[in-house]
Amino acid sequence: MYQKRKEYRGKLKTRTTQLIISDWTTVTSWSKMTGCFNWMSNGERKSKSSYLHYDPVPFGHGGDRVAFFMMWEGRQFVLKHFKKFIRRRIEAENWMMINLHETANEFAKKFNYVGASKKKLRYIQAIMISDDSGEYWMAEEYLPGDHIKWNNNGKYVKSLDEGGLTAQAFSHFTWVSSGKSQLIVDIQGVKQADSYILTDPAIHTVDKRWASDLNYGENGIKEFFECHKCNDICRAMGLERHLAQPHDLIHVDPSASVMRI
């Protein structure tokens, strides 16, 4: 049974942790929005004036944001909007998410370069849009396929299949590669033939630039490693153990290749 579709009025209250998009044919009409598009590329902020089309009826909603189907320059996106509009906070949070996608993708490039995993990793592009009324929106590339969350920002690990092992090794890698100062978690996205396309990362670090409700700092890093068992990908990269890892795990050479990236 389908619920009656209603146009967004900014009063939805439940939270969705991940969005599953299966069918764009439910869109019966498109609305146009013009504004300034902002994103990160190779560490630099980029912007341009443009327009998009979106379905005014949201397909999903959570505690903080609602999500809409969106088309821009012939490409499919997911458009997200905060329910409670506080200009400075939302602008700052959106920029932080854009920067986090960029940071996670830079880690993914380094991880791919080492070549210990059979599949490559890539984070999708995130874009912040300020419309003509001054409100802020977030847009992310649409990911076709089954959305999988392999780990979260706590101790959850979905499974130890290829995707799960790769996700755990990647999180471990980000801690070592960052000089033990950052840990990328909440590894989620879709599996493709030769890669994993990822979205919505979270980070644990004491760096105040990344302050958020999902960042547990050193406690978050410690919690991840308390339940992390190094796998073949970790060992192939020579990842150094965290002191919180169980003592029965194999200690590998911390001077291995990953430390020199």
Side-chain angles (χ1 to χ4, degrees):
M1 179 178 294
Y2 294 93
Q3 292 183 341
K4 183 179 180 181
R5 288 159 53 84
K6 296 182 179 179
E7 202 165 305
Y8 169 55
R9 299 298 181 188
K11 296 182 180 180
L12 302 172
K13 296 183 179 180
T14 58
R15 181 165 187 172
T16 302
T17 56
Q18 64 186 41
L19 301 172
I20 301 175
I21 309 171
S22 58
D23 188 1
W24 288 66
T25 62
T26 58
V27 181
T28 57
S29 64
W30 295 92
S31 295
K32 184 177 180 179
M33 179 194 302
T34 58
C36 183
F37 289 59
N38 306 270
W39 68 95
M40 295 291 296
S41 178
N42 297 320
E44 296 183 2
R45 291 189 177 189
K46 304 289 185 179
S47 65
K48 74 173 184 178
S49 296
S50 187
Y51 67 90
L52 61 88
H53 290 92
Y54 72 103
D55 179 8
V57 180
F59 69 83
H61 55 85
D64 296 323
R65 296 184 289 182
V66 289
F68 308 82
F69 294 119
M70 164 184 157
M71 294 293 296
W72 180 49
E73 297 184 340
R75 298 160 60 195
Q76 294 176 323
F77 285 79
V78 174
L79 181 66
K80 299 179 181 179
H81 188 251
F82 280 92
K83 297 172 186 176
K84 296 179 180 179
F85 184 68
I86 305 173
R87 187 185 304 277
R88 290 182 179 178
R89 179 178 70 83
I90 291 176
E91 181 183 12
E93 288 187 5
N94 282 345
W95 267 121
M96 184 170 67
M97 180 53 68
I98 290 173
N99 285 321
L100 184 51
H101 271 80
E102 177 81 357
T103 298
N105 199 47
E106 288 302 311
F107 279 125
K109 291 177 182 177
K110 293 180 180 181
F111 181 83
N112 296 338
Y113 179 80
V114 176
S117 171
K118 294 179 181 179
K119 294 185 185 297
K120 304 296 185 182
L121 306 183
R122 179 178 74 85
Y123 275 87
I124 62 174
Q125 185 180 42
I127 301 170
M128 180 174 68
I129 303 161
S130 55
D131 65 24
D132 290 342
S133 70
E135 293 202 21
Y136 289 93
W137 305 67
M138 177 68 75
E140 299 170 359
E141 293 178 56
Y142 163 61
L143 290 180
D146 295 331
H147 187 111
I148 303 171
K149 183 188 284 283
W150 286 283
N151 69 26
N152 67 0
N153 61 324
K155 293 186 175 183
Y156 170 78
V157 179
K158 181 181 184 300
S159 65
L160 292 179
D161 58 7
E162 181 186 48
L165 294 173
T166 302
Q168 290 297 97
F170 175 64
S171 290
H172 189 169
F173 170 86
T174 62
W175 175 73
V176 177
S177 185
S178 67
K180 306 178 186 178
S181 65
Q182 299 176 347
L183 180 77
I184 300 296
V185 289
D186 225 358
I187 312 301
Q188 57 187 305
V190 299
K191 178 180 179 180
Q192 297 188 340
D194 59 352
S195 62
Y196 295 102
I197 310 301
L198 307 174
T199 185
D200 280 342
I203 188 171
H204 293 316
T205 178
V206 295
D207 189 333
K208 293 182 179 179
R209 294 178 301 168
W210 301 110
S212 77
D213 293 340
L214 300 178
N215 179 4
Y216 300 157
E218 287 293 346
N219 287 335
I221 294 174
K222 181 174 179 288
E223 280 196 350
F224 170 83
F225 282 106
E226 283 176 345
C227 61
H228 173 60
K229 182 176 181 179
C230 284
N231 56 58
D232 288 344
I233 302 174
C234 299
R235 288 187 280 273
M237 292 188 290
L239 298 182
E240 182 180 354
R241 286 179 67 250
H242 189 282
L243 293 176
Q245 287 185 253
H247 294 296
D248 60 345
L249 301 186
I250 298 174
H251 181 77
V252 295
D253 183 4
S255 66
S257 61
V258 65
M259 301 298 291
R260 296 194 292 272
I261 291 178

